Amino acid sequence: MKLLKNRKIGTHELLFVGLLVLAFVIRLGLISQGWPATNSDEGTIGLMGLHIAFNGEHPTFYYGQYYMGPHQAYVAALLFRLFGPSLFMLRFGLLLIFTLFLISTYLLTRLVYSKGWALFCLFFLGTGSSFIMARELSAIGGYTETLLFGSLLFLLAGWLVISYRPYQRLRECRWRIVVYLAWGIIAGTSLWDDLLSAPFVLMAGLLLVVFCWRELLQLITPLAALIGLLVGAFPMLYYNLHAAPGEDSLSVLNNLRGNGIMTTQVKILAVKHAIDISVPMMTGEPFCQANELAALGPTTSYARGCTLIREAWGYSYMLLLGIAILLALWGLWGAWREWRGNRQVELEAAALESTHWLRRQVIHLALLISAVITFYLYAFSSAPIDWPGIHARYLIGFLVATPAIFWPLWQGFISVQARLRTLVQVRRVVCGALLALVGALLVVGSVDAYTEAPAISANNARDMALINTLLSHRVSHIYSDYWTCNKIMFLSNERVICAVVNDQLQDSHNRYHRYYDVVSADPKAAYVFPIDIGYVKKDGDQYTLPIVDEYAPRRGFTYQIIAINGYVLDLTQ
């Protein structure tokens, strides 16, 4: 029996390693082929990494945004120093962060739920639709770290809560002080990195207050957590203490969220878009991806079939979340009643077991409430009104709560109740079928991502051809649109410097304004735009840039038009 038990443990660990490696290899294969499509938001992080690694810069925030931390850029800078700058190394750092998220979520699920469910969740999160994996692997600021930080906050808080003893003296377990300090550091740095982690900081912190309040009265533990919080958030706090009016993080976020008063009709529309489009995108619907900007890929399909698929997925997911909350409240009520019945016998095993069950029920509910807060903050903002596809990434916190949201299906599947045998069997079949369906669709999404890789590799080759053409013409300074500029600068390792201009060729949306100053000082700077942008006109086989035609005589220069691989170049002469 002992040998069999040891063999069972070994099998579980082998499955854990296998699933972890599978998730890693799936994503490693994709980024090695240049997937997902890169853009100038990602190029900005890459440029920040270059400046940190080789120019000695230490930015506090993502260029041009005073609320999003530069954590991805610092990870990239380390890898650039070790292995050289490249798009692959930029994304490899995110892959390492995501792998840590999987490990953390496995440990959290095993702590709060069960070993079997922990493996199943590892499979769920290790696969995923192309939209989900693109958010995990694109260095566009904050999202991959939000996953890791949210999971770690609950893992540390959950461990502190479950292992807590009311009359335990801290000098007998000084290691708990270290855990409080670590929790504070993670909470602080996660708020600096991206405020999407705020619901998880809030709910994990409440867990500590509710269950460990006696420990917190001893001052040393709240002091450790507070010191950690200040250390983790120090760069953000220091900046905001010295920020100019209107440039502090809260003002910037408030402007982004929208200051206008939303009518009831607009609020209903926002919630509808959030459920119809954003929730399916960020939770794994693989067939009908949504996107509002052609520069970022194929745009949203509003064909009847796709609309029905997204609506079915979105409302089903929110229904499952609602059921999970109701069952969590019911389970909490049962756990509390059992705990009350056993609390007078604190030294008995039954009392300890009921106490742990009660604490796990509350942690489970706290995870679900974190997901609800995440949805509320998103659905009642301006984000889902116009761009519910692109902005769906703001719901990435749902992935942290995956173990809690799908837990009712797992419970129904493994049920072994004796009474109501037929009903129980039907429930097991339904729950098992739903779990299998979601798992199969996530696998389909992973396969679909590989089918996209060849086209994206061709786009990457087009960008490199543009860079080589510019360099062959000895052009190192160009004007272009936002979605071209920072991408080309990073891919060229700043051999080509680009300034962003609008449709009137005026300074617009330059995150790092030194680039515009450099380009505007060069009278021979070229104009480069994608052929599908509004600035470009086509007459037969010829492409023109009317705005440059109008601008050139005033500046007294002539130019040569070249069309190459999807771009139009106006080279000054």
Side-chain angles (χ1 to χ4, degrees):
M1 291 296 293
K2 184 176 181 181
L3 179 62
L4 183 61
K5 183 177 180 180
N6 290 338
R7 182 180 178 183
K8 187 176 181 180
I9 293 175
T11 301
H12 179 90
E13 293 172 350
L14 185 62
L15 287 172
F16 163 69
V17 173
L19 290 171
L20 190 65
V21 170
L22 176 64
F24 185 90
V25 170
I26 287 173
R27 289 161 177 78
L28 182 65
L30 288 169
I31 64 174
S32 67
Q33 298 180 59
W35 189 96
T38 188
N39 58 55
S40 281
D41 283 349
E42 186 170 41
T44 301
I45 295 288
L47 292 169
M48 291 172 65
L50 290 176
H51 297 171
I52 295 168
F54 304 111
N55 295 353
E57 294 187 9
H58 299 92
T60 303
F61 293 104
Y62 184 85
Y63 287 159
Q65 294 182 193
Y66 304 116
Y67 68 94
M68 186 179 293
H71 298 59
Q72 293 181 356
Y74 280 95
V75 173
L78 175 61
L79 295 175
F80 290 172
R81 291 286 295 183
L82 294 174
F83 305 105
S86 67
L87 181 61
F88 174 82
M89 293 313 305
L90 176 63
R91 291 169 169 177
F92 188 75
L94 301 184
L95 178 54
L96 296 178
I97 294 172
F98 178 76
T99 303
L100 293 176
F101 159 69
L102 291 180
I103 296 172
S104 175
T105 300
Y106 166 81
L107 294 175
L108 172 62
T109 309
R110 181 168 173 167
L111 176 71
V112 178
Y113 302 100
S114 69
K115 293 169 62 176
W117 183 229
L119 287 178
F120 209 96
C121 287
L122 188 59
F123 170 73
F124 262 24
L125 295 169
T127 53
S129 68
S130 60
F131 184 90
I132 289 178
M133 291 196 292
R135 302 292 79 74
E136 295 164 350
L137 297 174
S138 294
I140 55 177
Y143 303 105
T144 312
E145 305 96 287
T146 296
L147 294 176
L148 175 60
F149 292 147
S151 178
L152 282 176
L153 286 167
F154 265 91
L155 174 61
L156 295 181
W159 184 84
L160 285 169
V161 166
I162 291 175
S163 62
Y164 172 67
R165 301 291 182 271
Y167 303 106
Q168 185 173 249
R169 295 183 178 180
L170 276 177
R171 65 172 177 267
E172 298 173 359
C173 49
R174 294 185 178 92
W175 34 266
R176 290 181 66 86
I177 300 173
V178 177
V179 178
Y180 276 104
L181 177 66
W183 187 92
I185 292 174
I186 294 171
T189 197
S190 67
L191 292 174
W192 169 31
D193 181 62
D194 197 319
L195 285 177
L196 292 176
S197 62
F200 301 96
V201 174
L202 173 64
M203 296 310 301
L206 281 177
L207 286 174
L208 295 176
V209 172
V210 170
F211 286 102
C212 304
W213 61 270
R214 286 192 179 92
E215 197 168 60
L216 294 175
L217 291 177
Q218 299 183 44
L219 295 183
I220 185 64
T221 50
L223 182 61
L226 178 61
I227 290 174
L229 184 68
L230 293 175
V231 169
F234 177 77
M236 177 182 69
L237 295 174
Y238 181 83
Y239 168 83
N240 282 284
L241 288 173
H242 299 84
E247 293 186 358
D248 61 281
S249 299
L250 289 179
S251 295
V252 173
L253 281 169
N254 191 47
N255 291 334
L256 289 174
R257 184 171 174 82
N259 296 319
I261 298 176
M262 296 176 64
T263 65
T264 301
Q265 184 177 2
V266 172
K267 290 180 180 179
I268 293 173
L269 179 63
V271 173
K272 184 177 186 302
H273 282 181
I275 297 176
D276 289 353
I277 298 177
S278 303
V279 169
M281 293 304 95
M282 202 60 252
T283 56
E285 190 281 303
F287 301 116
C288 298
Q289 301 298 285
N291 168 45
E292 290 80 29
L293 286 179
L296 300 181
T299 53
T300 306
S301 170
Y302 287 99
R304 185 59 179 166
C306 271
T307 300
L308 289 175
I309 288 173
R310 286 196 296 260
E311 287 178 350
W313 186 290
Y315 286 104
S316 296
Y317 190 93
M318 296 306 294
L319 176 63
L320 178 60
L321 176 59
I323 292 173
I325 291 173
L326 292 176
L327 291 178
L329 291 171
W330 179 256
L332 180 60
W333 169 249
W336 183 76
R337 291 182 61 186
E338 182 172 328
W339 173 79
R340 278 180 59 87
N342 292 328
R343 64 177 178 171
Q344 301 300 326
V345 286
E346 294 184 4
L347 297 180
E348 294 185 8
L352 184 61
E353 182 178 348
S354 63
T355 298
H356 285 177
W357 182 30
L358 175 64
R359 294 174 182 177
R360 288 188 173 94
Q361 287 294 326
V362 176
I363 295 169
H364 169 60
L365 181 60
L367 270 170
L368 293 170
I369 294 175
S370 299
V372 172
I373 295 174
T374 296
F375 179 80
Y376 174 82
L377 293 175
Y378 173 75
F380 289 93
S381 71
S382 60
I385 295 175
D386 297 320
W387 289 1
I390 292 174
H391 289 153
R393 64 186 188 273
Y394 297 143
L395 292 176
I396 198 167
F398 274 3
L399 300 186
V400 180
T402 292
I405 294 171
F406 285 89
W407 174 240
L409 295 182
W410 180 257
Q411 280 188 305
F413 175 63
I414 64 172
S415 175
V416 291
Q417 297 179 21
R419 290 183 296 176
L420 301 176
R421 185 180 301 275
T422 302
L423 182 60
V424 170
Q425 291 302 321
V426 170
R427 185 178 67 185
R428 291 186 67 182
V429 170
V430 171
C431 290
L434 290 174
L435 288 172
L437 176 62
V438 173
L441 291 175
L442 292 175
V443 171
V444 169
S446 300
V447 173
D448 184 60
Y450 273 90
T451 65
E452 297 173 2
I456 291 175
S457 294
N459 287 336
N460 295 339
R462 184 192 71 170
D463 292 334
M464 293 309 301
L466 169 64
I467 292 169
N468 292 332
T469 299
L470 291 171
L471 294 176
S472 68
H473 286 81
R474 298 183 179 179
V475 174
S476 58
H477 299 144
I478 65 172
Y479 294 98
S480 190
D481 66 302
Y482 173 76
W483 293 110
T484 298
C485 262
N486 287 11
K487 174 179 68 170
I488 294 301
M489 279 193 287
F490 174 64
L491 293 177
S492 69
N493 198 10
E494 293 190 304
R495 290 176 296 169
V496 175
I497 303 298
C498 183
V500 181
V501 291
N502 59 19
D503 57 1
Q504 299 299 314
L505 302 184
Q506 298 171 339
D507 180 2
S508 173
H509 208 60
N510 285 282
R511 293 188 179 276
Y512 191 73
H513 207 269
R514 294 180 190 175
Y515 291 137
Y516 184 85
D517 297 336
V518 169
V519 175
S520 61
D522 182 1
K524 292 188 176 295
Y527 293 86
V528 178
F529 296 102
I531 60 174
D532 56 357
I533 202 169
Y535 315 167
V536 177
K537 302 300 180 184
K538 186 178 182 181
D539 183 11
D541 294 331
Q542 300 296 317
Y543 291 95
T544 62
L545 280 170
I547 187 63
V548 178
D549 291 340
E550 179 183 343
Y551 183 68
R554 299 202 304 264
R555 290 291 302 271
F557 65 80
T558 58
Y559 56 89
Q560 171 191 5
I561 293 183
I562 298 176
I564 178 173
N565 291 335
Y567 287 98
V568 173
L569 289 63
D570 282 5
L571 306 179
T572 58
Q573 296 178 333

